[in-house]
Structure formats: structure tokens, C-alpha cells
Amino acid sequence: MILEQLSSFFAGTEFRWWDVVDILIVAFLVYELLQFLRGTHAVQIALGGIVLVGLYWASILFNLQSVNWLLRTFLPFLVFGIIVIFQAEIRKGLAHLGRAPFLGGAARRRQEEVVDEIVLAATSLASERTGAIMVLEREMGLRSYIETGITLDAVVTYDLLVSIFHPATPLHDGAVVIQGNRVAAAACFLPLTVNPELSRTLGSRHRAAIGLSEDTDAVAIVVSEESGAISIVEGGVIRRGIDGPALKLALLASLGLTEAAPLAAAEVVAQRGGRP
């Protein structure tokens, strides 16, 4: 019966190429919305919204007048509440759409500028042997880690990063999480890796960066307080003792802005307990 209804519906419908474009646009927007929700607490909010919509239709179907009145009264206010609560996520989602292929040139330049600021800050901190850990969010959301720190929501600049990690500031102890071209939060707590085969020379900053990269696709830059060495961590693998130009090339490759450049053998530390 259902097949007959579907066949009769399609038989009486004339598809045009504009209809195909319409469907593709809707599919793209749904896909981007799901990508945006993945890895954030907005998933629970979305599930709660689905439950409320289900209750609304159930109240109509089963004639639950009190429930229907309650939902019709408060749902409009709930929409405004969601906009206020998730204004940062909405801004991030719109910025993600701005990185579409037809706007790729401008987005690429902004990302390269962010990389330059990060590299300049890392090399400056390394020269002064000031410990630091900076995390770059990629596809997987880092909302749960951002909530452990102090929200900043500021443009990424060399001055800001150096100021955050200055030993005299209250935000220096912890990680900085960067979303796009903005510093989302500082003094964030990261999970330490439990890999027993890692080198014992690695300190807590390096282990926290490795632990985060094991759970997410984020890229972390670590500046050692003891030696001033710069390390980059990705996918549970740490590369230590790299200089500014090598760090820039590695970050650009991690963000998909250029092809991965070969690193010198001394720059690579295996996941299983190597030394630089």
C-alpha cells in the first residue's frame, strides 16, 4: 500500500533540475548542522528539542489540551533562549559556512594569519623558556574542554597569547583552546595520556597534549618550560625540537592549507617512548 502511494505521488509529480538543486542544498545544510553539533553539548539540546516537538504532535494527535497549550505558549520563548545560550556556537557555525569553497581564498588568508600569530608567540615563549600549551580545534568540537577553563572569545594575536602564558597572570596554568581565528578559552584542563610506553622525559604539558590528541583530532603546540623546546602533537604522536618555520609548515599541513612537508629525523619522536 505504501509503495502504491509512493508510486502515485511520483507519477503525479514532475521533477525539474531546480528540484534536485533544492534537495542538494537542504542535504548540505543538514550535513553542516550535524557536523556543527557533533562533539558539543548542543547534541543534548537538540535531542531535547526533538522530544518537545514529539510531545507537541502527540498532544495534537491524542487531544492533550493542557500539554498543547503549555508547549504553544513557551516554545517561542525557548527559541530565543537557545539563540542567547548558543550565540558562540551559532557564530562558529556561520564562520564555518564562510569557509566554503567559493570563499576559500579569504578564509585561507585568515587561517594563515592565525598560524603566523601562533608561531610567533610559540617562538617568543620558547626563547624565554615560558611553558605553554595551545590547542587548535579542527573538525571535532572541544566544547567540553573549553568549559573547564575561562572563556575569552578573543581574536588570536601574538600579544594576547604571550600575555596569557606570562607566569604572573592567573591564566598561565592550563591550555589555550583556539577555534578558527578566536581564542575560545584559557586555563583549560586537558586529559593526561595513559600510554605507559611514552618517554619519561615528557612532562605534564606534553602528556596532556598527547592525551587530547588521542581523544580528538585537535592539534596541540607545546613549549617546554625546562628546555624551551617547541613540540607539535597530532594523533597521539609528538614531534619535538622543531623551529618556527617547521612549526608553521606543520600547522599549515594539519589545517589542510598545504601539503605535509618532510621533517628532519631529529624532529620526529615516535609514539612509543622515543627521545629527540
Side-chain angles (χ1 to χ4, degrees):
M1 181 177 179
I2 297 178
L3 293 177
E4 293 179 356
Q5 291 178 346
L6 289 175
S7 60
S8 61
F9 171 77
F10 286 112
T13 304
E14 181 181 354
F15 277 97
R16 300 167 298 175
W17 70 275
W18 278 112
D19 298 323
V20 176
V21 173
D22 187 22
I23 294 173
L24 290 176
I25 292 175
V26 172
F28 171 76
L29 293 177
V30 171
Y31 172 78
E32 290 294 329
L33 177 62
L34 294 177
Q35 286 288 98
F36 165 70
L37 293 177
R38 187 181 65 176
T40 68
H41 291 300
V43 175
Q44 286 78 14
I45 301 296
L47 292 177
I50 293 174
V51 171
L52 291 178
V53 172
L55 283 176
Y56 175 75
W57 287 108
S59 67
I60 296 177
L61 181 63
F62 297 105
N63 196 25
L64 305 176
Q65 297 183 6
S66 298
V67 176
N68 184 268
W69 173 84
L70 186 66
L71 292 175
R72 283 190 294 105
T73 302
F74 289 102
L75 277 180
F77 299 100
L78 181 63
V79 173
F80 289 107
I82 291 175
I83 294 175
V84 172
I85 294 173
F86 291 98
Q87 55 179 320
E89 285 79 3
I90 294 172
R91 180 168 57 247
K92 176 188 170 185
L94 294 176
H96 179 72
L97 288 177
R99 295 196 296 268
F102 51 87
L103 296 176
R108 178 188 176 92
R109 286 192 297 272
R110 287 196 297 270
Q111 286 187 305
E112 289 180 348
E113 291 172 358
V114 170
V115 169
D116 288 336
E117 297 289 334
I118 293 172
V119 171
L120 182 59
T123 53
S124 177
L125 293 168
S127 66
E128 300 175 358
R129 294 196 176 185
T130 301
I133 176 170
M134 294 173 277
V135 178
L136 278 71
E137 183 186 80
R138 295 203 288 180
E139 294 299 323
M140 295 182 64
L142 301 178
R143 185 70 181 177
S144 58
Y145 303 106
I146 292 173
E147 291 176 347
T148 65
I150 306 299
T151 302
L152 296 180
D153 191 23
V155 176
V156 177
T157 62
Y158 157 80
D159 298 301
L160 176 61
L161 294 175
V162 171
S163 299
I164 289 174
F165 290 109
H166 192 278
T169 62
L171 300 179
H172 77 281
D173 190 15
V176 161
V177 178
I178 298 173
Q179 293 179 320
N181 66 336
R182 304 189 71 82
V183 176
C188 299
F189 293 97
L190 305 181
L192 295 178
T193 180
V194 295
N195 187 350
E197 299 181 347
L198 286 173
S199 172
R200 294 184 178 179
T201 62
L202 296 175
S204 59
R205 284 191 180 89
H206 298 85
R207 292 181 178 272
I210 295 173
L212 178 71
S213 69
E214 289 172 343
D215 295 337
T216 70
D217 65 345
V219 181
I221 302 98
V222 183
V223 179
S224 173
E225 186 175 353
E226 290 75 18
S227 63
I230 301 175
S231 306
I232 184 169
V233 185
E234 182 179 1
V237 177
I238 180 171
R239 290 173 283 179
R240 302 177 67 187
I242 60 177
D243 57 11
L247 176 62
K248 180 176 180 178
L249 289 176
L251 288 177
L252 291 176
S254 298
L255 297 175
L257 301 177
T258 184
E259 295 183 0
L263 294 171
E267 293 176 351
V268 180
V269 176
Q271 191 175 8
R272 298 178 178 242
R275 289 189 180 216

